Amino acid sequence: MTPEETVDYNIKVAWHAISRMYNTQAAKHDITTSIGFVLLNIDQENGTPATKIAPLLGLETRSLTRILRSMEEKGLIYKQADAHDKRSVRIFLTEEGLRNKEISRQTVRHFNLKVRDEIPQSELDVFFRVVSQITGMIEGKTLYENFKLKPPRATESSAA
């Protein structure tokens, strides 16, 4: 099987193309794709608990901490102790954060509208169904339940 024939290769190539496209747009506003996605997931009125953001984006806590620090340095967010649970920290958007959130929202929306203009809904429905099934297989953690590695075939040089 060539890489081009594998599911994971095609998903990776598509995601890298999308990520590069978003990073090109984000760089015009001195942010990154990761920052844009975090901005999109912060509640404008009530803020968002810091512990809720990483799972929403599929990020490791360490990565999110680095992104939040960068966002705070850029003046996009501020942290505030939760009014109900002083152990929890909520992330709020500054005016600059709100402006960049809107830029991010419009960028994502534009991409999705352009894709929908080019690809028929019936094909997108199949795509969403397939991606959902793949995700379910992975998250079900049963994918490798009965998997056993086959020993590598001996090559002529190793057989000698």
Side-chain angles (χ1 to χ4, degrees), residues 42-121:
I42 296 175
D43 184 300
Q44 291 179 209
E45 284 89 39
N46 304 310
T48 301
T51 55
K52 299 277 192 242
I53 298 171
L56 287 171
L57 299 171
L59 289 173
E60 294 293 324
T61 306
R62 287 185 305 275
S63 299
L64 179 64
T65 300
R66 222 174 11 256
I67 294 167
L68 291 176
R69 188 177 311 118
S70 171
M71 292 174 73
E72 207 167 13
E73 289 168 2
K74 290 178 181 292
L76 302 172
I77 60 165
Y78 63 95
K79 299 174 184 173
Q80 188 173 315
D82 189 292
H84 304 294
D85 181 358
K86 298 294 181 198
R87 298 168 299 169
S88 181
V89 173
R90 293 184 90 75
I91 307 297
F92 289 88
L93 298 173
T94 63
E95 285 299 316
E96 185 65 12
L98 284 167
R99 190 180 75 70
N100 278 279
K101 178 178 181 167
E102 180 58 22
I103 290 166
S104 298
R105 189 189 70 74
Q106 287 181 31
T107 301
V108 170
R109 186 169 165 75
H110 177 78
F111 168 69
N112 279 273
L113 289 172
K114 286 294 190 182
V115 168
R116 289 177 179 280
D117 283 347
E118 293 290 321
I119 300 173
Q121 186 61 46

Side-chain angles (χ1 to χ4, degrees), residues 1-14 134:
M1 190 180 304
T2 67
E4 292 79 11
E5 294 172 315
T6 64
V7 173
D8 53 331
Y9 173 85
N10 283 281
I11 291 171
K12 181 184 73 159
V13 168
I134 293 169

